[in-house]
Amino acid sequence: MSLPSLVPHRGRRFAVTARILSAVVFSFVCYLCIGIPLAVLPGFAHLDLGYSTIVAGLAVSAQYLATLLSRPHAGRMADAMGPKRTVVAGLIVLAISGLFLALAALVPKIPVLSLTLILLSRLGLGFAESWVSTGSITWGIGGIGGEHTARVISWNGIATYGGIALGAPLGVTLARDHGFISLGILTFALGLVALPMALAKARVAPSHGERLPFKSVLSRVMPYGAGLALASIGFGSLSTFVALYYASRGWADAALSLSIFGGCFIGIRLVFGNAIDRFGGYRVAIVSLFVECLGLLLLWQGTSPHAALAGAALTGAGFALIFPALGVEAVGRVSTHNRGAALGAYSVFLDVALGLTGPIGGWVAGLYDYPAIFLLAGFAALAAMLLATSLYLRFGRDRNIRDNRADARA
């Protein structure tokens, strides 16, 4: 193939990527705000306010409860009213959540009031997450076409965990140098900065066609969502309890493990971004879940900070492609005009897993210590791998045969 024929192709690919990035940048801002208090908030609730590890886990997991409750509405809103309005609504709530977090830092001597304000902040952040993330994905897909669904979901994930990876150490530094209140102030400011960017971006018209009842959409994506939920327990365990896990062993730099997780997550998505198109979502998910399971078992057995960092790296590498791999298969079960609802329903399972991980993990830690949390998450990843294998045997092989026959006819 000659060079002139390659240049337009590369130019089109760059243009598509640029349009995707213009949509998922709002997810980056949202998850940067999610990452900022992630390594600080459990310690603030447990050590400064004097609450138990279960309550500290609940303070973090309240965000995921709100995300769970708002996912169906976010998907329907993106389908019916358009992703632009969905993202704008999410950014407004994001800024408000920052105000509540800043207020919580002003009353640490009144623990009940401070915890209440933290919970309100986390609930607002959860609503913002569902609206901004679902809206950004549907905005990206609507702008470039459904054939690029895997790429949009992958880049949105890079923005998501890139934001968390940058936000966690940033939050630790800000809390150390300027106090806990600075986390809320920065969250408020980031929401306000991103809002005019969203208002200036061109809208995508809502899709038209028959809207399936949410229960019908949910039943179609349920097997894939169940696999996502089991896989997400590892991420939830790491993000919620790694700071307390490090502290229990006298180790420093807990936020570094979150950065390592996010860095490996992003690296895998960048290097193996086309793996889903080449090998199919099922096979990519199976391999990814195996790697994640290994990482979680290494965290369970970790006897040094270096071993824990290696476990976080493997967990991030394994978790990297699970959401898009299973998500592509899930979205393929519905029509185009129900895509937002399918994404919302699929993401509900992630929210359920992360919402339950906090209190359950805190209960497990109270009984067996923190490493047991990662052992439980490792078994969950193994169960997800077995589920993905069964889905592949049921649906994936038949589709591969059809695709091969179509290629042969072409």
Side-chain angles (χ1 to χ4, degrees):
M1 185 177 294
S2 62
L3 181 61
S5 64
L6 285 172
V7 173
H9 172 73
R10 290 178 179 175
R12 287 193 300 271
R13 187 175 182 85
F14 177 80
V16 168
T17 301
R19 295 185 69 177
I20 293 173
L21 293 178
S22 71
V24 303
V25 65
F26 303 110
S27 284
F28 173 78
V29 171
C30 181
Y31 282 91
L32 178 64
C33 294
I34 290 173
I36 285 170
L38 203 54
V40 179
L41 183 58
F44 182 79
H46 179 51
L47 302 176
D48 293 87
L49 300 183
Y51 288 100
S52 67
T53 57
I54 295 178
V55 175
L58 180 63
V60 175
S61 297
Q63 171 199 327
Y64 307 124
L65 173 62
T67 306
L68 167 65
L69 295 175
S70 57
R71 284 288 189 190
H73 178 265
R76 288 301 184 201
M77 186 175 179
D79 285 333
M81 302 175 64
K84 180 173 183 173
R85 296 180 65 177
T86 307
V87 170
V88 167
L91 292 174
I92 292 173
V93 176
L94 176 68
I96 294 173
S97 75
L99 286 180
F100 281 119
L101 190 62
L103 291 174
L106 294 176
V107 289
K109 294 184 179 180
I110 312 177
V112 173
L113 178 58
S114 183
L115 181 64
T116 300
L117 290 168
I118 287 173
L119 291 175
L120 289 173
S121 173
R122 301 298 291 173
L123 291 173
L125 195 58
F127 277 90
E129 177 191 357
S130 63
W131 288 335
V132 173
S133 180
T134 303
S136 293
I137 294 175
T138 53
W139 210 345
I141 295 174
I144 61 175
E147 66 272 17
H148 298 290
T149 296
R151 291 185 63 191
V152 175
I153 295 177
S154 292
W155 275 107
N156 190 76
I158 291 173
T160 295
Y161 294 100
I164 291 175
L166 291 175
L170 175 60
V172 171
T173 301
L174 285 173
R176 182 191 64 215
D177 296 342
H178 305 288
F180 190 78
I181 192 173
S182 63
L183 310 185
I185 294 174
L186 180 58
T187 299
F188 175 73
L190 288 171
L192 291 186
V193 168
L195 186 59
M197 295 171 55
L199 291 171
K201 181 175 167 57
R203 66 187 291 270
V204 172
S207 58
H208 300 286
E210 181 185 0
R211 309 290 182 192
L212 293 174
F214 184 75
K215 289 184 178 179
S216 177
V217 175
L218 183 64
S219 66
R220 297 188 184 194
V221 304
M222 184 175 291
Y224 309 94
L228 175 65
L230 291 168
S232 300
I233 293 174
F235 166 62
S237 299
L238 184 66
S239 62
T240 303
F241 293 103
V242 71
L244 296 175
Y245 172 60
Y246 267 58
S248 69
R249 276 151 177 71
W251 300 341
D253 298 325
L256 180 60
S257 64
L258 289 173
S259 297
I260 291 292
F261 173 94
C264 290
F265 181 100
I266 293 171
I268 290 296
R269 286 210 173 175
L270 290 174
V271 175
F272 298 101
N274 295 324
I276 297 172
D277 293 332
R278 292 183 59 192
F279 303 108
Y282 295 113
R283 286 185 281 189
V284 171
I286 292 168
V287 174
S288 297
L289 287 163
F290 176 74
V291 175
E292 182 190 10
C293 182
L294 291 179
L296 290 166
L297 294 179
L298 186 56
L299 278 166
W300 166 54
Q301 287 292 313
T303 56
S304 69
H306 297 294
L309 290 177
L314 282 175
T315 302
F319 189 61
L321 295 176
I322 293 172
F323 190 100
L326 293 177
V328 166
E329 303 295 346
V331 171
R333 307 288 291 176
V334 300
S335 57
T336 300
H337 37 271
N338 289 284
R339 186 184 292 132
L343 285 169
Y346 174 65
S347 300
V348 159
F349 292 88
L350 171 65
D351 305 326
V352 169
L354 297 180
L356 293 176
T357 297
I360 292 177
W363 175 73
V364 170
L367 290 177
Y368 303 104
D369 204 1
Y370 293 103
I373 301 175
F374 301 113
L375 176 62
L376 177 64
F379 279 120
L382 178 61
M385 185 179 70
L386 296 176
L387 175 59
T389 301
S390 69
L391 289 171
Y392 171 69
L393 294 175
R394 183 178 178 184
F395 301 114
R397 292 194 302 177
D398 291 340
R399 191 178 65 185
N400 288 339
I401 292 173
R402 292 194 299 270
D403 291 343
N404 291 335
R405 289 175 177 172
D407 291 341
R409 287 195 298 270

